Amino acid sequence: MTSMKMWYLLLLAAVLPIVPTVAEVVKSVSDCEQFLLNKTPPDVTSILEGKKMDENRYKFICQTYDNKRRFLTLYDTKNKIPVYSAYKYTGGTEKGPFKRPKWKIEPQLEGKTNEKMMCNADDNTIYVKQAGIKDYETIEGFNKGHLIPYSYGSTTSDKKSTCTLTNIVPQAITFNGGSWSTMEMCVKCVMDKYCKINNGGTKAYVVTGAIPNDRNKQLNKKINIPDKLWSAFCCYSPEEKKWIASAHWGENVPENESEEKNEKYVKIETLEELLNKLKVDVFPGKECPRHTKISFTQNLTTAHAPPLLKPLLPVPCNICPFHHNIWSTISSPA
């Protein structure tokens, strides 16, 4: 009788949903599905080593700060960088400037199972399963690049939660502070204008990720330096009376070097092109249009980017070279 009762309790525990009040490394993406459109994760199989999900290596993190889950990350404990981070953007309600908080880490990756939330990274600790502050020291040409940007946080706590090293990759400084930063800010302006909901608020789904290099190119012999960064968003737009989406990616190299290689800064493309070229299906469902993108009058170059510290300030949308007809549709292949 006792064993039957124990079996029932275990079964009940397995099927009951986890109450989203604490952060932890979880076994299933369903534990943080609220940050995903239709609760469906992106298909990033082609990025994973061996094209399969190794649960010992790749860890889902319900990124939580101040006892509230803020966004979702799939983290690669071997490369020490995130595969992607996903966030539900709801607009900004607090004005800057803000003081950037201390960098944080995920204690459960290091086996500290009793610590349920991200915590401050120790300046001198060498972590085994993730990058630490010392791993980003003495890096020439690279700095800490957010996947979910600090500026996308709706509240001060949301913003602070993005400053965890499990949401960071080594990014070329002029790329991070140049066309990539411009893209982030201009996409934010688009979401604020077009992704409104009935109560006057904002709702859009954003996923940003990294394509790791396969040449053993590492930062301080530990952190994989990704070849490319990619990002996409999708929302329903009452103004347009339809779903809208756009995709973006760029080579993780200095902007001037990128130009010499004829890889002109961040590419503004469609979800279909992101799938065809990088093999990433960001929004597998049917809602998000696969052949639309934001229409700009010119490339997003470093000339449009504000100084590096400006992301902490309110974004001036007039820096974005939007075409008067902001949405362009790329014809589907025959």
Side-chain angles (χ1 to χ4, degrees):
M1 190 71 175
T2 302
S3 60
M4 179 63 74
K5 183 178 179 180
M6 181 63 69
W7 177 87
Y8 175 76
L9 291 174
L10 289 172
L11 177 63
L12 188 63
V15 299
L16 284 176
I18 297 175
V19 179
T21 57
V22 294
E24 61 183 318
V25 177
V26 295
K27 291 185 178 181
S28 172
V29 69
S30 63
D31 293 322
C32 269
E33 60 190 12
Q34 66 267 35
F35 303 110
L36 303 167
L37 178 62
N38 289 334
K39 304 177 181 180
T40 304
D43 184 355
V44 293
T45 307
S46 63
I47 300 177
L48 307 182
E49 188 169 300
K51 301 189 185 309
K52 62 181 181 180
M53 181 66 178
D54 181 350
E55 293 184 359
N56 292 320
R57 171 175 176 174
Y58 299 103
K59 302 292 185 180
F60 287 111
I61 304 174
C62 293
Q63 300 280 18
T64 298
Y65 179 79
D66 203 14
N67 281 317
K68 181 179 177 181
R69 288 181 176 177
R70 310 286 173 170
F71 62 99
L72 166 70
T73 296
L74 177 60
Y75 192 75
D76 183 344
T77 60
K78 179 179 178 181
N79 283 332
K80 309 295 189 299
I81 58 173
V83 178
Y84 68 79
S85 287
Y87 181 62
K88 184 165 70 174
Y89 177 76
T90 57
T93 58
E94 299 186 18
K95 303 298 183 182
F98 302 98
K99 181 180 179 181
R100 195 180 297 278
K102 292 183 177 179
W103 289 102
K104 303 187 181 337
I105 54 96
E106 174 51 58
Q108 287 198 341
L109 289 179
E110 303 301 314
K112 298 179 180 180
T113 57
N114 292 328
E115 297 185 35
K116 299 293 187 179
M117 291 190 293
M118 63 175 72
C119 62
N120 290 340
D122 183 82
D123 291 349
N124 299 311
T125 298
I126 303 298
Y127 298 101
V128 176
K129 295 292 187 178
Q130 60 195 305
I133 292 176
K134 287 186 70 67
D135 300 315
Y136 277 94
E137 288 180 350
T138 62
I139 53 175
E140 195 168 329
F142 293 91
N143 61 7
K144 303 181 187 74
H146 285 66
L147 292 194
I148 299 301
Y150 182 92
S151 60
Y152 280 23
S154 298
T155 66
T156 302
S157 291
D158 286 335
K159 295 176 187 298
K160 289 180 177 180
S161 73
T162 67
C163 295
T164 168
L165 293 170
T166 55
N167 182 48
I168 296 296
V169 299
Q171 191 170 359
I173 293 174
T174 53
F175 175 45
N176 187 13
S179 61
W180 188 259
S181 175
T182 304
M183 178 276 296
E184 290 175 333
M185 291 187 294
C186 291
V187 166
K188 183 179 186 298
C189 291
V190 170
M191 294 188 295
D192 285 336
K193 177 176 174 58
Y194 290 93
C195 299
K196 294 297 183 182
I197 53 180
N198 291 335
N199 63 4
T202 304
K203 184 172 76 171
Y205 292 89
V206 180
V207 186
T208 303
I211 307 292
N213 81 81
D214 58 3
R215 304 178 305 282
N216 202 33
K217 183 180 178 182
Q218 295 180 320
L219 188 67
N220 288 330
K221 299 181 180 180
K222 181 175 180 180
I223 310 172
N224 185 286
I225 300 175
D227 281 338
K228 298 179 179 70
L229 270 67
W230 57 266
S231 185
F233 82 93
C234 180
C235 73
Y236 180 77
S237 173
E239 181 169 328
E240 296 290 309
K241 296 181 173 59
K242 62 183 179 181
W243 285 83
I244 58 176
S246 192
H248 319 85
W249 71 84
E251 302 283 339
N252 188 23
V253 295
E255 301 277 38
N256 56 346
E257 180 181 338
S258 178
E259 188 174 22
E260 291 168 5
K261 291 181 177 180
N262 202 30
E263 294 286 348
K264 291 188 176 179
Y265 311 102
V266 172
K267 297 180 184 301
I268 299 93
E269 301 287 8
T270 67
L271 295 178
E272 187 70 15
E273 288 166 321
L274 182 62
L275 174 60
N276 291 338
K277 294 178 181 179
L278 299 188
K279 310 304 179 186
V280 176
D281 192 357
V282 186
F283 302 109
K286 296 181 179 180
E287 287 88 352
C288 302
R290 307 189 74 83
H291 301 283
T292 66
K293 64 181 180 180
I294 302 173
S295 179
F296 289 97
T297 57
Q298 52 189 300
N299 289 327
L300 296 179
T301 66
T302 307
H304 296 107
L308 290 176
L309 293 180
K310 280 290 181 69
L312 300 184
L313 298 170
V315 176
C317 293
N318 58 5
I319 71 166
C320 301
F322 295 129
H323 194 274
H324 69 277
N325 182 11
I326 190 172
W327 299 106
S328 61
T329 302
I330 309 301
S331 300
S332 304

